[in-house]
Amino acid sequence: MTYPTQPKASHFINGAYVEDTAGTPIDVIYPATGKKIAQVHAATPAVIDHALSSARNAQAAWAALTGTERGRILRRAADIMRERNHDLSVLETFDTGKPYQETSEVDATSGADALEYFGGMAATLTGEHIQLGEDWVYTRREALGVCVGIGAWNYPTQIACWKGAPALTCGNTMVFKPSETTPLCALKVAEILHEAGVPAGVYNVVQGMGEVGAALITDDRVDKVSLTGSVPTGRKVYAAAAAGIKHVTMELGGKSPLIIFDDADVENAVSGAILGNFYSSGQVCSNGTRVFVHKNIKEAFLARLSERLAGAVIGDPQDPETSFGPMVSERQLGIVEGYIAKGQVEGARLVYGGNRIKDDGFYIEPTVFADVTDDMSIAREEIFGPVMAVLDFEDEADVMTRANATDFGLAAGVFTRDLTRAHRVAAGFEAGTCFINSYNDAPVEAPFGGSKLSGVGRENSKAAIAHYSQLKSVYVRMGDLEAPF
Ligand code: NAD
């Protein structure tokens, strides 16, 4: 049976699928074959207006529900997502090309985690009471209003939920624009939220390229923008939001360091480097792509890494045995091939991979460069593909300076058996999300986000609440009020 990849319509607005074929057609390409599997249309100005007015109109009634009521609906949506994990994972694999082995473990499930976590928190959100002699102040934690979410293509279900769950928990409504490269999954998130009882207009999805995102951000009906994307897009979105003094969350790119000391467990360190470079074919923002390996263990590390990479099962991503899939698009494949060529030209030693491996689909081998120096392009620029740069070091202070010598600050990791060094290094990293003897864990309970150019604000955890709500202070005078005249 062919899996139904064509959605009922392009957009989901005010509780229903909406189509407007006047919008620019967007072909959805299955990365494993390069073949078209669906088509949607970019939102026209009329569709954008419909989505924003629906979100605006629905907001007050949604915010007026108790937290318990909002939370119950979100938790019900989490249950539905888990029940449909198989179908959602198959669709995620069609949308992104990521192996089913991954999508069935981390995509709809992490989306459900966010809905469950924030749904559970909804009833606990409170203001505070501040006594001032006999007078007092109380604070109310209030919704921001209408939030726009804009997604990248690597985790379409997760991003739709990581933004939607805290936004809705706080009483906001949302218009979500998925990446034009992966437009399918967010529609399912919207469907499930409505099936669970989210009122019409509270969570809407519109399709389109950057122009649609730009039109959403600049609209006066919008109070907050949350973007997951690259730094160049972040600069534009942040600037557009600033013009309207809108709240922002920016989850942007990275070039994160992973430092492996010579006392590390090499097997675990290799696992960390694999998880931090080749999961999702390297298309993960927090990847530790600058792998600093102590000179004493460098060759042992490289040898074991190559052995383990030979065990990657590259093939049809819908096959549960496949552990490494294609790049999301021909364009992304071209970018990766360009960086592999640059690495060779700039003098790095190619120790594994480097080649396209299939004629159809956007496949490229997991690739490792050694003897990489700090100034090489593959050590400085975000590639967003399966290309690991291994750099040598000997001294802790020196490697910390080099690890932090980047404008990015999303993530960082360290492998060592030395307890105090592990925490000293974590404290010294200029990055928002750090790992000790692990890499790329992103549980909903922990704040996730970047420093420096990698972003503003935090997703997940209690910290996200501060980015989707605002405090109102109410001063209450108990006695007479004096004035100067
Ligand atoms: P991108 O910046 O090209 O696009 C991201 C989204 O922004 C897309 O939906 C796009 O249509 C939209 N967009 C583009 N121009 C816009 C504009 N002017 N106004 C409004 N919206 C606009 O990113 P991508 O190629 O889809 O994703 C890869 C990037 O995302 C990488 O840099 C990666 O590191 C980053 N990323 C970050 C995180 C994180 O949580 N920090 C997670 C995943 C991906």
Side-chain angles (χ1 to χ4, degrees), residues 96-99 102 153 155 274 277-284 287 314 323-328 332 336 362-366 383-387:
T96 63
K98 293 186 294 181
E102 283 187 20
W153 39 257
Y155 283 84
I274 288 174
N277 281 272
F278 301 122
Y279 207 70
S280 301
S281 297
Q283 302 163 114
V284 180
N287 271 357
I314 305 173
S323 57
F324 188 86
M327 306 302 304
V328 76
Q332 197 60 24
V336 172
F362 313 132
Y363 288 87
I364 187 134
E365 288 174 314
I383 301 173
F384 223 57
V387 183

Side-chain angles (χ1 to χ4, degrees), residues 151-154 177 180 214 228-230 233 251-253 285 382 384 448:
W153 39 257
N154 56 345
K177 188 199 85 64
E180 57 273 32
T228 297
S230 61
T233 303
E251 291 290 353
L252 308 177
C285 52
E382 184 182 46
F384 223 57
F448 180 85

Side-chain angles (χ1 to χ4, degrees), residues 452-465:
K452 295 158 77 176
L453 289 189
S454 292
V456 174
R458 290 293 177 268
E459 295 199 303
N460 287 341
S461 80
K462 286 178 249 173
I465 297 301

Side-chain angles (χ1 to χ4, degrees), residues 49-73:
D49 182 61
H50 183 195
L52 289 173
S53 58
S54 301
R56 179 46 74 200
N57 293 341
Q59 198 266 321
W62 175 244
L65 294 182
T66 66
T68 306
E69 289 166 328
R70 284 197 301 273
R72 188 180 304 137
I73 295 170

Side-chain angles (χ1 to χ4, degrees), residues 28-44:
V28 187
I29 306 296
Y30 182 32
T33 59
K35 301 241 162 63
K36 179 173 153 183
I37 53 166
Q39 187 184 66
V40 296
H41 291 268
T44 55

Side-chain angles (χ1 to χ4, degrees), residues 235-415:
R235 286 187 202 279
K236 287 187 219 158
V237 170
Y238 203 172
I245 318 287
K246 295 178 190 192
H247 298 251
V248 295
T249 300
M250 295 279 141
E251 291 290 353
L252 308 177
K255 188 75 192 176
S256 301
L258 169 58
I259 304 179
I260 300 172
F261 285 92
D262 55 355
D263 65 346
D265 179 307
V266 171
E267 202 61 24
N268 284 336
V270 168
S271 295
I274 288 174
L275 289 170
N277 281 272
F278 301 122
Y279 207 70
S280 301
S281 297
Q283 302 163 114
V284 180
C285 52
S286 48
N287 271 357
T289 47
R290 289 184 293 140
V291 183
F292 293 91
V293 183
H294 196 283
K295 265 192 169 165
N296 292 346
I297 58 162
K298 170 185 156 186
E299 291 309 328
F301 171 86
L302 289 172
R304 188 63 188 128
L305 178 64
S306 296
E307 277 171 21
R308 297 264 304 267
L309 288 178
V313 180
I314 305 173
D316 173 6
Q318 295 290 359
D319 180 344
E321 295 303 311
T322 297
S323 57
F324 188 86
M327 306 302 304
V328 76
S329 63
E330 191 151 25
R331 181 172 170 272
Q332 197 60 24
L333 174 68
I335 291 172
V336 172
E337 286 182 307
Y339 275 107
I340 292 172
K342 262 192 199 167
Q344 288 169 303
V345 169
E346 292 180 13
R349 172 166 58 109
L350 182 66
V351 294
Y352 195 91
N355 304 305
R356 258 196 98 153
I357 39 180
K358 273 165 133 262
D359 292 338
D360 55 347
F362 313 132
Y363 288 87
I364 187 134
E365 288 174 314
T367 299
V368 179
F369 281 104
D371 305 337
V372 177
T373 53
D374 297 341
D375 54 334
M376 291 181 185
S377 310
I378 56 169
R380 303 206 61 75
E381 296 166 23
E382 184 182 46
I383 301 173
F384 223 57
V387 183
M388 183 195 295
V390 177
L391 304 95
D392 304 348
F393 80 95
E394 286 179 283
D395 173 68
E396 180 184 322
D398 172 59
V399 78
M400 288 307 290
T401 305
R402 292 167 62 202
N404 287 331
T406 168
D407 290 336
F408 295 111
L410 187 52
V414 56
F415 277 79

